[in-house]
Amino acid sequence: MDAIKIVDFSKSYGNVLAVKNLNITIAQGEIVGFVGKNGSGKSTTIRSIMNMIFQSSGTIQVLGLDSVNDAKELKKKIAYVPSEASFQNNITAHKLLKFCLQFTTYDDSKIQELAEYFELDLTKKISDLSLGNRKKVSLIQALLKESEIIILDEPTGGLDPLMQHKFFQLIIKEKEKGKTIFLSSHNLEEVEKYCDKVAIIKDGELVDYLDMATVSLTKRQTVSYETRDGKKVDFDLEKDINEVIKELSKLDLTYLEIKTKAVTDEFIHYYKEEVK
Amino acid sequence: MKKFDFKNVTKLFSFDFYNSRKNIIGWVIAISGIMSLYCFMFPMVQDIASAKFDAMPKELLQLFGMEAMADMGNFVTYFGMVYSLVIVAICIFAVTLGARLLHKEEETKSIEFLSSLAVSRVEIYVSKLLVLFAGVMLVVSCGSIIALVAGTVVGGDTFNLMEVVSIIKICSFTPFFFGVIALGIAGISYKYGTGSIASMGVLILYMLGYLGKLLGEKGEFLLYLSPFATFDPANAIDLEVKTIITLGAYLAIAAAISYVGSYIYKKRDLKI
């Protein structure tokens, strides 16, 4: 059974079509990245999976459950981190997380454990927490849930690099337990590093669904150099690297760089028109 | 998994009630303070008030629902006058609480957290309805208890427990009605389900009742549009069949809007 199956999903707001005929299938146990620029339809898709908004057409199934008709049961199987960590302000982080515990089976010690891991002061009120610390509350509430799928909408926004790293360490552990992870992110490096597959969405349409294993195999290197007379050259490395080095040794170089072309560049390719 | 689980409602209720506690406590203190001030001062103000009321134009007395309260030397009529004004304030509290319970969740996007839990939208709606009932009940109860204590202590022979209880029972329906309507509208629409719009609605209906009294027979129909006029202290004491039927009609309207509110809330996109 597929973890998430999105079939011909479209969503419009009045005359604006936010997502057009999106089709994505995510197998159980995968980490799938969901990449696209702001307003491309990532959050709309995720919120439709969570039954916070309704699709205009198409179906979304999570572990065989329909996102509209079986919404309550479906949400029991999903842990969700929204892009904006907004909570009821007039309550301490500990009380809020204890409230979350009422819907799962973990005990209070799990809260303490995760709070210590993320260095979060549980005694503070939500309104007194910084954006980064509210994000930590959001991550902890999701990780407290005994779910089969974790949906993350920009999970590391507001977190410092150390916390981002610690967060992904936990996510990898969750994957090892067999959980499926659907990760929407602008951070292409983290997508490249942690995801098995990447869905690229542009203007509400799926433009590519990359298998990272295949992409990694076809990684290419680029060579950039500059000669003393100011000539700058960049080219993709297609010949044997030793031959290229021999040829370059004949030149009077002031600068040389051979770098592996990141998958990030592949993603950027889809936004070239905007980049130009 | 059950579509509607009352256990979830109680969990959500406790959480929401805790989050609304400051607002509710603030209103409990304010209403208790006002009721204490006016009710315990009854012996001091009764003579002065009678003289003042005699000098006031009839229309002004109608505006404040005091035209039937000629005898300020009677605790029941004095309480009725005070309570009919206090009830407007409680209605403002009820509609702002009712509207905010749903509207604020969407405004601050905290609904995204709440609805990611394994709960249904109807469970969320019902829990908010219970918070509204509990909040209004607390404010009304505190004000009423103070009035009963004050009546016992300073009301003397003019204090009639049954009549005061009748006024409390009938007049106090109005804030519950308005609160349910405000919550229902917030369920139907994010755009129009705001506390300020709901408060305006309360004041407009209050003024309609006033207009109905002012116009006499010509404007009698307006009285039925305003719960303030229908459930005023004089009608509460008389409690005619007409009043009971109107009460039934208002209950039916509240139940219908509540049902429609929860149904549309279940079916509409959340504003996030």
Side-chain angles (χ1 to χ4, degrees):
Chain A
M1 190 193 299
D2 297 315
I4 300 174
K5 191 173 185 180
I6 301 172
V7 181
D8 295 333
F9 164 67
S10 295
K11 175 68 187 175
S12 54
Y13 296 100
N15 296 327
V16 181
L17 196 54
V19 182
K20 302 164 201 166
N21 289 321
L22 188 72
N23 287 282
I24 301 176
T25 303
I26 298 169
Q28 289 188 48
E30 284 182 340
I31 301 188
V32 175
F34 198 31
V35 175
K37 62 179 182 131
N38 290 332
S40 59
K42 300 191 300 293
S43 293
T44 299
T45 306
I46 286 175
R47 285 167 179 163
S48 296
I49 297 173
M50 295 302 295
N51 190 233
M52 289 167 190
I53 54 177
F54 292 84
Q55 57 261 46
S56 304
S57 63
T59 57
I60 298 173
Q61 288 200 326
V62 177
L63 298 166
L65 298 166
D66 184 77
S67 68
V68 177
N69 299 322
D70 309 309
K72 193 175 162 187
E73 202 174 343
L74 173 148
K75 284 190 275 184
K76 201 165 187 179
K77 295 176 187 295
I78 300 176
Y80 173 57
V81 175
S83 55
E84 286 179 50
S86 300
F87 300 101
Q88 289 70 10
N89 283 327
N90 199 15
I91 191 167
T92 63
H94 193 227
K95 281 209 164 76
L96 183 108
L97 293 168
K98 277 183 92 168
F99 167 67
C100 297
L101 275 187
Q102 293 180 25
F103 298 92
T104 187
T105 52
Y106 282 121
D107 57 20
D108 199 41
S109 64
K110 182 83 178 171
I111 296 178
Q112 298 293 345
E113 194 184 303
L114 285 165
E116 279 170 27
Y117 182 81
F118 283 114
E119 298 167 26
L120 175 71
D121 182 358
L122 289 171
T123 59
K124 279 192 171 176
K125 274 190 175 180
I126 297 292
S127 54
D128 296 333
L129 293 176
S130 65
L131 173 69
N133 281 329
R134 282 208 300 274
K135 198 77 187 191
K136 289 178 189 175
V137 175
S138 188
L139 298 175
I140 292 173
Q141 65 83 23
L143 292 165
L144 278 174
K145 204 166 178 178
E146 284 190 326
S147 60
E148 292 175 49
I149 295 170
I150 303 175
I151 294 180
L152 308 159
D153 192 359
E154 301 291 343
T156 52
L159 291 183
D160 60 58
L162 175 66
M163 283 301 146
Q164 290 183 18
H165 177 73
K166 288 179 101 172
F167 166 69
F168 276 108
Q169 296 307 111
L170 275 188
I171 288 299
I172 288 166
K173 278 186 189 169
E174 295 297 314
K175 196 212 168 190
E176 285 166 0
K177 289 179 196 168
K179 292 189 182 181
T180 309
I181 292 136
F182 190 40
L183 166 71
S184 161
S185 179
H186 284 302
N187 189 334
L188 301 178
E189 282 174 19
E190 71 185 20
V191 169
E192 183 179 354
K193 197 170 174 184
Y194 299 106
C195 294
D196 301 315
K197 287 180 181 169
V198 181
I200 303 171
I201 187 170
K202 184 183 178 185
D203 299 331
E205 286 182 284
L206 186 73
V207 289
D208 213 339
Y209 195 24
L210 302 169
D211 187 329
M212 297 303 281
T214 319
V215 173
S216 299
L217 285 174
T218 58
K219 269 181 187 173
R220 286 179 297 182
Q221 288 178 308
T222 56
V223 179
S224 307
Y225 69 82
E226 188 175 348
T227 56
R228 197 165 296 282
D229 56 2
K231 189 182 168 191
K232 288 181 183 175
V233 177
D234 297 295
F235 61 93
D236 286 343
L237 189 61
E238 286 165 353
K239 291 194 274 184
D240 179 65
I241 191 163
N242 295 305
E243 282 181 32
V244 173
I245 295 289
K246 271 182 200 170
E247 284 174 24
L248 290 175
S249 68
K250 294 170 191 166
L251 301 172
D252 186 11
L253 298 176
T254 55
Y255 171 79
L256 173 66
E257 186 183 18
I258 302 173
K259 64 173 185 179
T260 303
K261 208 173 177 183
V263 179
T264 303
D265 299 327
E266 299 284 333
F267 303 150
I268 293 291
H269 160 75
Y270 292 100
Y271 293 92
K272 258 184 178 170
E273 283 175 27
E274 281 77 6
V275 170
K276 277 176 187 173
Chain B
M1 183 179 258
K2 280 191 274 183
K3 290 261 181 198
F4 184 86
D5 189 345
F6 202 75
K7 276 185 190 169
N8 284 346
V9 174
T10 54
K11 289 172 195 170
L12 289 166
F13 166 78
S14 309
F15 181 69
D16 271 338
F17 192 78
Y18 184 80
N19 284 317
S20 305
R21 68 194 184 283
K22 280 190 178 173
N23 183 22
I24 294 169
I25 291 169
W27 276 91
V28 164
I29 292 169
I31 296 298
S32 301
I34 291 168
M35 290 303 287
S36 301
L37 192 69
Y38 279 92
C39 290
F40 281 103
M41 282 175 71
F42 166 67
M44 285 177 271
V45 298
Q46 56 183 320
D47 295 333
I48 305 163
S50 293
K52 294 277 182 199
F53 285 145
D54 287 343
M56 280 166 86
K58 188 188 162 201
E59 287 75 14
L60 196 61
L61 290 172
Q62 281 177 329
L63 174 63
F64 296 108
M66 300 168 187
E67 76 283 8
M69 305 295 164
D71 186 6
M72 281 296 123
N74 185 311
F75 182 83
V76 176
T77 51
Y78 175 76
F79 165 73
M81 182 271 291
V82 172
Y83 201 59
S84 62
L85 289 177
V86 166
I87 217 73
V88 180
I90 300 177
C91 284
I92 299 285
F93 158 68
V95 292
T96 49
L97 178 66
R100 275 169 61 95
L101 280 168
L102 281 181
H103 184 86
K104 201 183 172 192
E105 297 273 17
E106 290 182 77
E107 190 180 49
T108 61
K109 295 180 189 261
S110 56
I111 191 66
E112 207 166 3
F113 155 69
L114 211 55
S115 63
S116 72
L117 301 168
V119 294
S120 69
R121 297 241 193 122
V122 175
E123 286 166 355
I124 292 174
Y125 187 93
V126 173
S127 70
K128 306 270 185 206
L129 190 64
L130 292 180
V131 172
L132 172 73
F133 278 139
V136 175
M137 185 59 86
L138 257 177
V139 173
V140 165
S141 301
C142 289
S144 304
I145 289 167
I146 286 166
L148 292 173
V149 172
T152 311
V153 175
V154 298
D157 294 340
T158 63
F159 174 65
N160 183 323
L161 179 66
M162 293 312 289
E163 287 186 347
V164 171
V165 170
S166 284
I167 292 172
I168 290 169
K169 274 197 302 189
I170 299 299
C171 293
S172 301
F173 168 76
T174 312
F176 286 100
F177 171 77
F178 277 115
V180 170
I181 300 297
L183 186 75
I185 292 170
I188 293 166
S189 159
Y190 168 80
K191 200 174 171 183
Y192 299 108
T194 63
S196 51
I197 291 176
S199 301
M200 270 192 281
V202 168
L203 293 175
I204 288 167
L205 288 178
Y206 184 77
M207 293 309 289
L208 274 183
Y210 163 62
L211 197 63
K213 285 179 184 174
L214 204 64
L215 293 172
E217 280 184 15
K218 281 181 188 171
E220 199 184 350
F221 71 98
L222 291 173
L223 298 177
Y224 295 103
L225 298 178
S226 171
F228 293 106
T230 309
F231 309 119
D232 73 0
N235 286 342
I237 293 170
D238 295 344
L239 203 61
E240 292 171 359
V241 178
K242 196 171 68 176
T243 307
I244 294 170
I245 292 170
T246 316
L247 182 68
Y250 272 102
L251 272 173
I253 292 168
I257 290 191
S258 206
Y259 177 77
V260 173
S262 68
Y263 183 78
I264 294 179
Y265 186 65
K266 189 174 83 169
K267 298 280 181 190
R268 75 169 167 89
D269 288 349
L270 294 174
K271 181 89 174 73
I272 40 179

